[in-house]
Amino acid sequence: MYTLSVGIELELWVVDETGRLCDGTEITQAHQRIEPEFIDPLIEVKTEPHTSERSLRRELQSILQTAILAAEGASKRLVPLGTPLTTSDAAPNCERGRVFETIYGSGVESAKNCAGAHIHFGQDEIVDQLNLLTALDPALALVSSSSYYAGTHGANSSRALAYRTDCGDDFRCYMDLCEYEDSLADWRDRVDEKYRLFKRLAADKGVSPDTVEELFAPEDTVLNPVRLRECQPTVEWRAPDATLPSQILQLATDVENLVSRTRTTSVEFGEPAIGEDRIRVPEFERLRDLSWQAIESGLDSAEVGSYLRELGFDTSAYEPLSSKLHGPYQLSNSEARTRRLQQAGRLQADVQNLTTEESKYTMFPA
């Protein structure tokens, strides 16, 4: 049996007892693995890497329990949604965030209004891992958690749509899905070229190259759905929305089951299928079409559902929160606050039950 190490980063909104977005400082101070994001109403929970689903569940549950208790002590709640439903207008809370806003300008608004889940896989067959995770982009439909962005009902994953497209044409290459790679050298060349471009864009906004180099490593400027983290070292999959931890754990397990096969199975291009000696994924143009269907329609797209089942996902095991957020086309601030509190309650129940059936979880599937 061969297993990869897996770690999870889960971003969560902080609200007060009325459902209004608020500062999460008390929560980030409660545990070394709870960190602030670049705006105050957003925090991130980060696990260590694990080779057992049981230990990953235990740690994620423990950190989240601490976070929830700290939030309760400050009369606050945590919300597992891909967007805050209406708009967060919080200012950046750190120098890096302020420089990021200067460079992106109004394009930074989507980053302020999106919360995701990042799953880290230990590096092995890196190019195949990068390409397979790219091909799994439509799996974001399994955990889409908000159909509202800035108060308007839209795409099934309104986070993915806004994050990838609202940043502006100059910055879309840093946010959108990237094409498959032929080699690790090509990946690194692409990152270096993006970094050079980022410095030029920064200079146009009055930010010096020295400041960029001080605050951003080349890989930090790449915010695409798949990226290589040289410093950890992991391959990071950033496609999913923030959602209930049980759903993220299910997704991490299913995706690890595929990614771990790259050690003995080649990733090829053609009609999607899983074989004993190869995993076939679609050509990139076909993949892009499937990804946009996943963003727009989620599992309501028959093509997306069929594609995910071809790659071994049991789509019936997932209950995307987006499908539960029924409401008017335009959502008022009051209605958004009510829905945030409802999802905060759902998060608490989900965390409580994360290890209820612990005996069934051992190593990640081989």
Side-chain angles (χ1 to χ4, degrees):
M1 181 186 299
Y2 173 70
T3 59
L4 290 168
S5 63
V6 179
I8 289 173
E9 298 173 351
L10 179 62
E11 295 173 344
L12 298 166
W13 301 102
V14 183
V15 299
D16 63 20
E17 290 183 315
T18 71
R20 286 183 172 86
L21 296 170
C22 65
D23 172 35
T25 301
E26 303 94 339
I27 305 163
T28 61
Q29 294 174 344
H31 196 289
Q32 63 180 356
R33 300 202 70 81
I34 306 173
E35 298 183 358
E37 276 294 324
F38 83 111
I39 58 170
D40 288 339
L42 197 58
I43 66 167
E44 185 174 55
V45 168
K46 307 173 74 167
T47 74
E48 296 276 4
H50 294 265
T51 55
S52 144
E53 185 182 358
R54 174 185 292 169
S55 63
L56 181 60
R57 280 180 176 268
R58 284 179 171 178
E59 188 190 15
L60 185 59
Q61 182 187 52
S62 176
I63 300 170
L64 285 168
Q65 286 173 331
T66 299
I68 289 169
L69 285 173
E72 288 179 342
S75 299
K76 297 176 182 178
R77 309 287 296 280
L78 296 175
V79 181
L81 293 175
T83 74
L85 304 178
T86 51
T87 302
S88 166
D89 58 359
N93 56 18
C94 60
E95 181 61 19
R96 179 171 164 177
R98 286 186 284 271
V99 171
F100 185 74
E101 183 174 48
T102 298
I103 297 170
Y104 270 70
S106 61
V108 80
E109 293 305 311
S110 59
K112 289 184 177 182
N113 286 278
C114 293
H118 309 153
I119 306 175
H120 290 258
F121 300 94
Q123 293 180 9
D124 197 317
E125 298 294 328
I126 296 175
V127 174
D128 278 349
Q129 288 176 307
L130 290 168
N131 288 340
L132 179 57
L133 288 172
T134 297
L136 293 181
D137 195 61
L140 64 86
L142 298 168
V143 292
S144 296
S145 64
S146 177
S147 53
Y148 283 93
Y149 181 79
T152 300
H153 191 281
N156 191 264
S157 175
S158 60
R159 176 204 63 86
L161 180 62
Y163 196 76
R164 299 183 189 193
T165 65
D166 284 8
C167 53
D169 291 343
D170 286 341
F171 298 99
R172 189 161 176 172
C173 69
Y174 297 96
M175 304 290 201
D176 207 354
L177 189 66
C178 293
E179 294 192 26
Y180 299 123
E181 290 291 0
D182 292 326
S183 69
L184 187 55
D186 286 347
W187 170 271
R188 289 175 173 150
D189 287 345
R190 178 188 288 177
V191 171
D192 289 343
E193 177 56 33
K194 286 184 177 181
Y195 193 50
R196 287 190 288 270
L197 174 60
F198 189 75
K199 287 181 179 178
R200 291 200 298 272
L201 293 168
D204 291 342
K205 298 295 181 67
V207 179
S208 71
D210 288 344
T211 298
V212 172
E213 291 175 5
E214 178 184 350
L215 296 173
F216 302 93
E219 66 181 39
D220 296 331
T221 61
V222 178
L223 304 175
N224 307 97
V226 182
R227 66 175 177 174
L228 188 62
R229 302 294 282 172
E230 304 273 17
C231 59
Q232 291 180 316
T234 62
V235 182
E236 181 184 11
W237 191 48
R238 300 164 52 85
D241 288 359
T243 191
L244 297 174
S246 62
Q247 294 280 281
I248 290 299
L249 283 161
Q250 176 74 46
L251 186 62
T253 301
D254 287 346
V255 173
E256 192 279 340
N257 190 29
L258 282 168
V259 175
S260 64
R261 293 169 63 109
T262 59
R263 196 181 200 199
T264 57
T265 305
S266 63
V267 176
E268 301 176 2
F269 305 101
E271 191 64 26
I274 298 177
E276 290 186 6
D277 59 351
R278 63 184 178 180
I279 300 173
R280 278 203 311 270
V281 297
E283 298 290 346
F284 188 73
E285 287 307 310
R286 173 60 179 149
L287 173 66
R288 282 195 68 86
D289 179 59
L290 286 165
S291 289
W292 284 114
Q293 289 187 53
I295 289 169
E296 291 287 352
S297 303
L299 295 178
D300 287 340
S301 165
E303 288 187 71
V304 169
S306 176
Y307 175 66
L308 295 176
R309 288 188 290 273
E310 287 286 347
L311 292 182
F313 291 95
D314 177 4
T315 56
S316 68
Y318 293 87
E319 298 180 4
L321 290 180
S322 274
S323 63
K324 302 178 185 298
L325 288 173
H326 302 298
Y329 178 70
Q330 293 290 338
L331 197 67
S332 69
N333 287 326
S334 175
E335 290 168 326
R337 291 195 295 270
T338 297
R339 282 167 170 76
R340 289 174 193 148
L341 292 174
Q342 289 170 343
Q343 300 310 318
R346 185 168 279 164
L347 174 70
Q348 284 188 261
D350 192 76
V351 170
Q352 183 66 30
N353 293 326
L354 272 185
T355 56
T356 299
E357 302 178 54
E358 185 176 89
S359 60
K360 70 188 264 193
Y361 305 110
T362 53
M363 303 298 288
F364 287 105

